[in-house]
Amino acid sequence: MLKYTFFFFAITYGVFVFAQNPTRQYISHKLTDSGCEIQVSDGKYLLAAYTDQILEVSFIPKGDTTTLAASHAVVLPTKSKPFLYSIVSDAKLPYEFFNIENGDFHVVVKTSPQFELQFFYKDQLITSEARGYYLGETPSLEFNLKKDEQLMGAGARALGMNRRGYRLQLYNRAHYGYETHSELMNFTMPIVISDECYAIHFDNPQIGFLDLDSKKENKLTYEVIGGPLRYQVVVANDWKNLTENITHLLGRQPMPARWTLGNFASRFGYHSESEAKNVISEFKKQQIPLDAIIFDLYWFGKDIQGTLGNFEFFRDSFPNGEQMIADFRKQHIKTILITEPFVLTTSKKWNEADRFKLLGTDSAGNSYRYDFYFGNTGLIDLYKPEARTWFWDIYTNLHGQGVAGFWGDLGEPEVHPTNLKHGNKWADEVHNIYGHDWARLLYEGYRHDFPSERPFILMRAGYSGSQQFGMVPWSGDVNRTWGGLKPQMEISMQMGLQGMAYMHSDLGGFAGANTDPELYVRWLQYGVFQPIFRPHAQQEEPSEAIFKDEKTKALAKAAIELRYQLLPYNYSLAYENHLHGVPLMRPIFMEFPKAMWSFEAHETYMWGSAFLVHAITDSLGSDAASTYKTALPAESSWFDFHSSKLIYSAATEQRSDEFVMVETPKSLQEIPVFVKSGSFIPMTSVIQSTEEYADTAVVLNLYLDPKQIQFSNEFVWYEDDGALFNAEALGASKKLKCSVSTHEQQSTLQFEAEIGKLVKEKYFKFSLLIHSPNAPKRMYLNGKKVKFSFDPKAGSIYILEPTYLSIDQNSCNLKVMW
């Protein structure tokens, strides 16, 4: 311990400039059942551990007698008696210190000549408090940064992947019509992620700021108006491990219903029952796949203004709303309704909400009324039990009418006066968790009243850990321009790293009456490879493919059909996220840790572990080039997804570069998409609804460069009924572990099935299609020679006998001799 500590203190003095609060003096410390308590001159530190890679530090200022508030985000319990400690002294060191030991994760506590906390993981200095707690304009926590450290996090922003240099407000607020730069949006989070592969979560929902070294002093500062001075430091071995740890701490996303991965019909908005029926009829007539329709605010009122808080069908326009929902369901179309937390004084629910004191209040205890765009309003007080019950009863009634999911809009809340009270708390104390707790209300209501169902909760505002309630966030009212499309990959990747894996955009863009068919097509082609496929826009320009010109419609239809063909792959990504917290949409460096060159490659990303996607965010005529150039990690071989051709071989080219630049022809037909060699991709035929999906009608594609030797890869194909909550735990799911390894002149494919006891079809049945530039010499299935054919033009290997592979509880292996 002494050896590594002395060594790293010596080498890191040049990296961090230590400046702990000079007046803070160490007094004493003791180990407790919950962790370690350190007394200092101006308060005390409480240290706890959740795992060997997650530590928590709380500071309680001297004289503060309030009880440390429970976390609104953390779901993990702390470990009991987690720490060992050792006192280290050495005449060569100009200070005294002791070590709080938690596996490979240590806190070094300097006791003299001044107090200081430093965090080490596997003998590497990760971060350290600078001044730690200090009282500036507001209570603050300050940390040291390395000179070249890059920072991500703080929720949804459009700033580039490296957000260092900004002082970012922690206050959820809509930014209508944003494009390439937005410092404040609907969904902020007090999380900072370093390119050194660690994270700090400031566990306090109150409003404030994250200063990511705006003064260029190599300092990270968290500023907050009040509440607990508590943070968790999360370390990891790699990027997947980091997101796994963050979501272990803050909660994982429940499995979504399968239909939520399909196509949505959505706009602002459908004015009548007849209009909505015509839209569904056109989708069916034109054979464009569809799974759901979303109703914006016209379902409860004729006009935009004056109607929020009605919470029931406007019968002039929707005379038979319940029957409409039932008719849609018969056509395999789910219905989603928008709701808002505002009750206008002109709405049908105002008198009831006011009389029973269900709204936020003024200092005198009266319902707080104020004006905003939609009218004179009150705000439902989610922090009163009676208000939560009342609000949930509204949802229960709508659910009884057949509503399959809910859209919670304006949940920042959009206008939230500072002097509005929620019980004994002011608005600013709960502003950032209002949407989070709204999602909690819906999720917990479903778990209690409809425990077998998977809720669909679409919201634009939340907080750290909102994924634990199944929240599906979107990136707000983005402008319907190329500038609006450009930051969407960054926003989704950043949110995925912070735990919110289903962040997505309004496909086609939302704000403005811009009509640009090429932009629309490019946004939908990108949308095939984003978590939720939901075109949505203001009503001036329809968002649905059925209303586009024939050329645009054909291209949009092709994108939607591809989305459906990828359903079994995408559903398996959802399972991986649910199980491990790994996002569906990933920075390239998550799959290729050496590829930090990709940090600012905003338009390229991984979709799962198999696809590298290059979103096109400029028009075809923006430059004179005839090809698109895409950087691919050189450590792997790559296939062009659209042609199935091997486009780069890691074995034959023997490159020492970190990446290879490949060119693909410019075309409006498709965007550049590549597949990593060794990837398994289950795909189905084109279907019109996810309810038509059958897991026995799947082609399992394997992309394989046989010359990439000493190579292995794994994929888990997951299936259940697509609807039952907690299906795997109930024994109602099955999964197929697929692996491939290549050594010298042989590739070995292994398939191992796990079948739940409640699954009816206790096997996997699929066709296997191998994409490879080389023809095998022989193939053996479980030791028996099989017949196959090779199409050199397509680069495809087909197994002729047996036509289908059928795998039950027994494993199966296929050996391919090259």
Side-chain angles (χ1 to χ4, degrees), residues 767-795:
S767 300
L768 180 65
L769 176 57
I770 302 175
H771 304 272
S772 176
N774 301 93
K777 294 178 180 178
R778 296 175 300 280
M779 297 176 67
Y780 297 90
L781 181 64
N782 292 333
K784 297 181 179 179
K785 193 172 183 179
V786 297
K787 292 183 179 181
F788 64 90
S789 67
F790 175 69
D791 182 343
K793 186 175 181 180

mmCIF file of all heavy atoms in Angstrom, residues 767-795:
data_model
loop_
_atom_site.group_PDB
_atom_site.id
_atom_site.type_symbol
_atom_site.label_atom_id
_atom_site.label_comp_id
_atom_site.label_asym_id
_atom_site.label_seq_id
_atom_site.Cartn_x
_atom_site.Cartn_y
_atom_site.Cartn_z
ATOM 1 N N SER A 767 -33.408 -19.782 -39.960
ATOM 2 C CA SER A 767 -32.489 -20.016 -41.068
ATOM 3 C C SER A 767 -31.188 -19.288 -40.752
ATOM 4 O O SER A 767 -31.199 -18.179 -40.202
ATOM 5 C CB SER A 767 -33.061 -19.472 -42.376
ATOM 6 O OG SER A 767 -34.279 -20.099 -42.698
ATOM 7 N N LEU A 768 -30.081 -19.900 -41.107
ATOM 8 C CA LEU A 768 -28.777 -19.279 -40.883
ATOM 9 C C LEU A 768 -28.216 -18.824 -42.217
ATOM 10 O O LEU A 768 -28.115 -19.598 -43.163
ATOM 11 C CB LEU A 768 -27.819 -20.275 -40.220
ATOM 12 C CG LEU A 768 -26.406 -19.741 -39.932
ATOM 13 C CD1 LEU A 768 -26.450 -18.620 -38.906
ATOM 14 C CD2 LEU A 768 -25.497 -20.880 -39.456
ATOM 15 N N LEU A 769 -27.866 -17.561 -42.298
ATOM 16 C CA LEU A 769 -27.277 -16.989 -43.508
ATOM 17 C C LEU A 769 -25.938 -16.372 -43.131
ATOM 18 O O LEU A 769 -25.880 -15.443 -42.314
ATOM 19 C CB LEU A 769 -28.203 -15.927 -44.104
ATOM 20 C CG LEU A 769 -27.688 -15.162 -45.330
ATOM 21 C CD1 LEU A 769 -27.322 -16.105 -46.467
ATOM 22 C CD2 LEU A 769 -28.724 -14.138 -45.786
ATOM 23 N N ILE A 770 -24.859 -16.900 -43.708
ATOM 24 C CA ILE A 770 -23.513 -16.411 -43.412
ATOM 25 C C ILE A 770 -23.047 -15.526 -44.550
ATOM 26 O O ILE A 770 -23.037 -15.944 -45.720
ATOM 27 C CB ILE A 770 -22.535 -17.580 -43.205
ATOM 28 C CG1 ILE A 770 -23.008 -18.487 -42.069
ATOM 29 C CG2 ILE A 770 -21.134 -17.050 -42.901
ATOM 30 C CD1 ILE A 770 -22.155 -19.733 -41.883
ATOM 31 N N HIS A 771 -22.674 -14.307 -44.222
ATOM 32 C CA HIS A 771 -22.144 -13.367 -45.200
ATOM 33 C C HIS A 771 -20.620 -13.413 -45.119
ATOM 34 O O HIS A 771 -20.032 -13.100 -44.081
ATOM 35 C CB HIS A 771 -22.636 -11.955 -44.915
ATOM 36 C CG HIS A 771 -24.132 -11.834 -44.869
ATOM 37 N ND1 HIS A 771 -24.888 -11.592 -45.983
ATOM 38 C CD2 HIS A 771 -25.007 -11.955 -43.839
ATOM 39 C CE1 HIS A 771 -26.173 -11.541 -45.649
ATOM 40 N NE2 HIS A 771 -26.265 -11.772 -44.351
ATOM 41 N N SER A 772 -19.990 -13.810 -46.213
ATOM 42 C CA SER A 772 -18.537 -13.955 -46.228
ATOM 43 C C SER A 772 -18.032 -13.859 -47.660
ATOM 44 O O SER A 772 -18.717 -14.306 -48.592
ATOM 45 C CB SER A 772 -18.139 -15.306 -45.626
ATOM 46 O OG SER A 772 -16.744 -15.497 -45.705
ATOM 47 N N PRO A 773 -16.851 -13.303 -47.862
ATOM 48 C CA PRO A 773 -16.315 -13.232 -49.226
ATOM 49 C C PRO A 773 -15.735 -14.552 -49.710
ATOM 50 O O PRO A 773 -15.434 -14.692 -50.894
ATOM 51 C CB PRO A 773 -15.218 -12.170 -49.111
ATOM 52 C CG PRO A 773 -14.754 -12.275 -47.694
ATOM 53 C CD PRO A 773 -15.980 -12.605 -46.891
ATOM 54 N N ASN A 774 -15.596 -15.521 -48.809
ATOM 55 C CA ASN A 774 -14.957 -16.784 -49.152
ATOM 56 C C ASN A 774 -15.922 -17.954 -49.024
ATOM 57 O O ASN A 774 -16.774 -17.988 -48.134
ATOM 58 C CB ASN A 774 -13.756 -17.041 -48.233
ATOM 59 C CG ASN A 774 -12.722 -15.938 -48.322
ATOM 60 O OD1 ASN A 774 -12.753 -14.990 -47.546
ATOM 61 N ND2 ASN A 774 -11.823 -16.054 -49.284
ATOM 62 N N ALA A 775 -15.756 -18.915 -49.930
ATOM 63 C CA ALA A 775 -16.565 -20.137 -49.870
ATOM 64 C C ALA A 775 -15.910 -21.125 -48.921
ATOM 65 O O ALA A 775 -14.693 -21.340 -48.976
ATOM 66 C CB ALA A 775 -16.690 -20.753 -51.259
ATOM 67 N N PRO A 776 -16.678 -21.765 -48.047
ATOM 68 C CA PRO A 776 -16.109 -22.797 -47.171
ATOM 69 C C PRO A 776 -15.724 -24.038 -47.988
ATOM 70 O O PRO A 776 -16.282 -24.305 -49.055
ATOM 71 C CB PRO A 776 -17.251 -23.115 -46.202
ATOM 72 C CG PRO A 776 -18.262 -22.042 -46.389
ATOM 73 C CD PRO A 776 -18.105 -21.539 -47.773
ATOM 74 N N LYS A 777 -14.789 -24.790 -47.443
ATOM 75 C CA LYS A 777 -14.473 -26.088 -48.042
ATOM 76 C C LYS A 777 -15.450 -27.144 -47.549
ATOM 77 O O LYS A 777 -15.930 -27.974 -48.335
ATOM 78 C CB LYS A 777 -13.044 -26.479 -47.693
ATOM 79 C CG LYS A 777 -11.985 -25.566 -48.299
ATOM 80 C CD LYS A 777 -10.579 -25.991 -47.870
ATOM 81 C CE LYS A 777 -9.518 -25.084 -48.486
ATOM 82 N NZ LYS A 777 -8.148 -25.460 -48.038
ATOM 83 N N ARG A 778 -15.740 -27.114 -46.266
ATOM 84 C CA ARG A 778 -16.667 -28.077 -45.672
ATOM 85 C C ARG A 778 -17.368 -27.413 -44.491
ATOM 86 O O ARG A 778 -16.823 -26.479 -43.879
ATOM 87 C CB ARG A 778 -15.943 -29.344 -45.178
ATOM 88 C CG ARG A 778 -15.284 -30.161 -46.282
ATOM 89 C CD ARG A 778 -14.492 -31.331 -45.716
ATOM 90 N NE ARG A 778 -13.423 -30.900 -44.811
ATOM 91 C CZ ARG A 778 -12.251 -30.437 -45.211
ATOM 92 N NH1 ARG A 778 -11.987 -30.334 -46.504
ATOM 93 N NH2 ARG A 778 -11.333 -30.069 -44.328
ATOM 94 N N MET A 779 -18.543 -27.958 -44.146
ATOM 95 C CA MET A 779 -19.263 -27.493 -42.962
ATOM 96 C C MET A 779 -19.817 -28.712 -42.226
ATOM 97 O O MET A 779 -20.311 -29.656 -42.849
ATOM 98 C CB MET A 779 -20.407 -26.531 -43.344
ATOM 99 C CG MET A 779 -19.922 -25.240 -44.011
ATOM 100 S SD MET A 779 -21.274 -24.154 -44.577
ATOM 101 C CE MET A 779 -21.981 -23.661 -43.007
ATOM 102 N N TYR A 780 -19.765 -28.653 -40.867
ATOM 103 C CA TYR A 780 -20.224 -29.768 -40.045
ATOM 104 C C TYR A 780 -21.162 -29.237 -38.965
ATOM 105 O O TYR A 780 -20.800 -28.331 -38.200
ATOM 106 C CB TYR A 780 -19.046 -30.487 -39.388
ATOM 107 C CG TYR A 780 -18.092 -31.114 -40.351
ATOM 108 C CD1 TYR A 780 -16.998 -30.390 -40.848
ATOM 109 C CD2 TYR A 780 -18.287 -32.425 -40.796
ATOM 110 C CE1 TYR A 780 -16.114 -30.961 -41.747
ATOM 111 C CE2 TYR A 780 -17.401 -33.006 -41.697
ATOM 112 C CZ TYR A 780 -16.322 -32.269 -42.165
ATOM 113 O OH TYR A 780 -15.455 -32.844 -43.049
ATOM 114 N N LEU A 781 -22.363 -29.791 -38.908
ATOM 115 C CA LEU A 781 -23.344 -29.438 -37.893
ATOM 116 C C LEU A 781 -23.404 -30.563 -36.863
ATOM 117 O O LEU A 781 -23.795 -31.695 -37.194
ATOM 118 C CB LEU A 781 -24.727 -29.223 -38.528
ATOM 119 C CG LEU A 781 -25.854 -28.821 -37.576
ATOM 120 C CD1 LEU A 781 -25.586 -27.458 -36.931
ATOM 121 C CD2 LEU A 781 -27.202 -28.799 -38.321
ATOM 122 N N ASN A 782 -22.968 -30.271 -35.662
ATOM 123 C CA ASN A 782 -22.894 -31.296 -34.598
ATOM 124 C C ASN A 782 -22.144 -32.540 -35.077
ATOM 125 O O ASN A 782 -22.536 -33.677 -34.811
ATOM 126 C CB ASN A 782 -24.285 -31.679 -34.097
ATOM 127 C CG ASN A 782 -24.956 -30.544 -33.341
ATOM 128 O OD1 ASN A 782 -24.283 -29.682 -32.756
ATOM 129 N ND2 ASN A 782 -26.273 -30.521 -33.364
ATOM 130 N N GLY A 783 -21.076 -32.304 -35.835
ATOM 131 C CA GLY A 783 -20.226 -33.395 -36.298
ATOM 132 C C GLY A 783 -20.647 -34.024 -37.611
ATOM 133 O O GLY A 783 -19.903 -34.836 -38.171
ATOM 134 N N LYS A 784 -21.806 -33.663 -38.128
ATOM 135 C CA LYS A 784 -22.293 -34.243 -39.382
ATOM 136 C C LYS A 784 -22.130 -33.241 -40.518
ATOM 137 O O LYS A 784 -22.480 -32.075 -40.384
ATOM 138 C CB LYS A 784 -23.764 -34.654 -39.258
ATOM 139 C CG LYS A 784 -24.005 -35.748 -38.226
ATOM 140 C CD LYS A 784 -25.476 -36.124 -38.180
ATOM 141 C CE LYS A 784 -25.729 -37.240 -37.168
ATOM 142 N NZ LYS A 784 -27.159 -37.609 -37.096
ATOM 143 N N LYS A 785 -21.613 -33.720 -41.633
ATOM 144 C CA LYS A 785 -21.384 -32.869 -42.784
ATOM 145 C C LYS A 785 -22.717 -32.357 -43.330
ATOM 146 O O LYS A 785 -23.695 -33.106 -43.430
ATOM 147 C CB LYS A 785 -20.629 -33.642 -43.857
ATOM 148 C CG LYS A 785 -20.062 -32.772 -44.964
ATOM 149 C CD LYS A 785 -19.169 -33.595 -45.888
ATOM 150 C CE LYS A 785 -18.541 -32.734 -46.963
ATOM 151 N NZ LYS A 785 -17.644 -33.518 -47.845
ATOM 152 N N VAL A 786 -22.769 -31.084 -43.676
ATOM 153 C CA VAL A 786 -24.007 -30.497 -44.190
ATOM 154 C C VAL A 786 -23.782 -29.967 -45.598
ATOM 155 O O VAL A 786 -22.664 -29.606 -45.982
ATOM 156 C CB VAL A 786 -24.518 -29.354 -43.282
ATOM 157 C CG1 VAL A 786 -24.875 -29.871 -41.905
ATOM 158 C CG2 VAL A 786 -23.501 -28.234 -43.198
ATOM 159 N N LYS A 787 -24.882 -29.923 -46.343
ATOM 160 C CA LYS A 787 -24.835 -29.367 -47.693
ATOM 161 C C LYS A 787 -25.044 -27.860 -47.623
ATOM 162 O O LYS A 787 -25.844 -27.354 -46.834
ATOM 163 C CB LYS A 787 -25.927 -29.996 -48.560
ATOM 164 C CG LYS A 787 -25.712 -31.466 -48.862
ATOM 165 C CD LYS A 787 -26.814 -31.988 -49.788
ATOM 166 C CE LYS A 787 -26.603 -33.459 -50.130
ATOM 167 N NZ LYS A 787 -27.665 -33.961 -51.044
ATOM 168 N N PHE A 788 -24.322 -27.150 -48.472
ATOM 169 C CA PHE A 788 -24.450 -25.701 -48.498
ATOM 170 C C PHE A 788 -24.189 -25.210 -49.914
ATOM 171 O O PHE A 788 -23.680 -25.946 -50.780
ATOM 172 C CB PHE A 788 -23.461 -25.049 -47.528
ATOM 173 C CG PHE A 788 -22.019 -25.275 -47.883
ATOM 174 C CD1 PHE A 788 -21.333 -24.395 -48.715
ATOM 175 C CD2 PHE A 788 -21.340 -26.381 -47.390
ATOM 176 C CE1 PHE A 788 -20.008 -24.615 -49.048
ATOM 177 C CE2 PHE A 788 -20.011 -26.609 -47.720
ATOM 178 C CZ PHE A 788 -19.343 -25.717 -48.548
ATOM 179 N N SER A 789 -24.561 -23.981 -50.149
ATOM 180 C CA SER A 789 -24.245 -23.334 -51.427
ATOM 181 C C SER A 789 -23.617 -21.983 -51.145
ATOM 182 O O SER A 789 -23.834 -21.390 -50.086
ATOM 183 C CB SER A 789 -25.506 -23.162 -52.281
ATOM 184 O OG SER A 789 -26.402 -22.237 -51.676
ATOM 185 N N PHE A 790 -22.834 -21.523 -52.104
ATOM 186 C CA PHE A 790 -22.160 -20.232 -51.954
ATOM 187 C C PHE A 790 -22.461 -19.366 -53.155
ATOM 188 O O PHE A 790 -22.288 -19.785 -54.302
ATOM 189 C CB PHE A 790 -20.648 -20.431 -51.806
ATOM 190 C CG PHE A 790 -19.878 -19.137 -51.762
ATOM 191 C CD1 PHE A 790 -19.992 -18.292 -50.666
ATOM 192 C CD2 PHE A 790 -19.049 -18.765 -52.815
ATOM 193 C CE1 PHE A 790 -19.282 -17.093 -50.615
ATOM 194 C CE2 PHE A 790 -18.332 -17.563 -52.773
ATOM 195 C CZ PHE A 790 -18.455 -16.728 -51.669
ATOM 196 N N ASP A 791 -22.948 -18.169 -52.905
ATOM 197 C CA ASP A 791 -23.218 -17.197 -53.970
ATOM 198 C C ASP A 791 -22.086 -16.170 -53.944
ATOM 199 O O ASP A 791 -22.077 -15.277 -53.089
ATOM 200 C CB ASP A 791 -24.567 -16.528 -53.729
ATOM 201 C CG ASP A 791 -24.939 -15.541 -54.831
ATOM 202 O OD1 ASP A 791 -24.043 -15.126 -55.591
ATOM 203 O OD2 ASP A 791 -26.124 -15.163 -54.912
ATOM 204 N N PRO A 792 -21.129 -16.262 -54.856
ATOM 205 C CA PRO A 792 -19.973 -15.358 -54.805
ATOM 206 C C PRO A 792 -20.346 -13.908 -55.076
ATOM 207 O O PRO A 792 -19.694 -13.000 -54.563
ATOM 208 C CB PRO A 792 -19.040 -15.916 -55.887
ATOM 209 C CG PRO A 792 -19.928 -16.693 -56.804
ATOM 210 C CD PRO A 792 -21.033 -17.242 -55.955
ATOM 211 N N LYS A 793 -21.370 -13.691 -55.863
ATOM 212 C CA LYS A 793 -21.773 -12.321 -56.163
ATOM 213 C C LYS A 793 -22.345 -11.644 -54.926
ATOM 214 O O LYS A 793 -22.032 -10.486 -54.626
ATOM 215 C CB LYS A 793 -22.799 -12.317 -57.305
ATOM 216 C CG LYS A 793 -23.161 -10.916 -57.779
ATOM 217 C CD LYS A 793 -24.089 -10.969 -58.987
ATOM 218 C CE LYS A 793 -24.417 -9.572 -59.476
ATOM 219 N NZ LYS A 793 -25.330 -9.596 -60.657
ATOM 220 N N ALA A 794 -23.186 -12.367 -54.197
ATOM 221 C CA ALA A 794 -23.795 -11.812 -52.990
ATOM 222 C C ALA A 794 -22.902 -11.977 -51.774
ATOM 223 O O ALA A 794 -23.102 -11.314 -50.747
ATOM 224 C CB ALA A 794 -25.145 -12.485 -52.730
ATOM 225 N N GLY A 795 -21.911 -12.865 -51.867
ATOM 226 C CA GLY A 795 -21.076 -13.160 -50.715
ATOM 227 C C GLY A 795 -21.878 -13.837 -49.625
ATOM 228 O O GLY A 795 -21.738 -13.499 -48.437
#
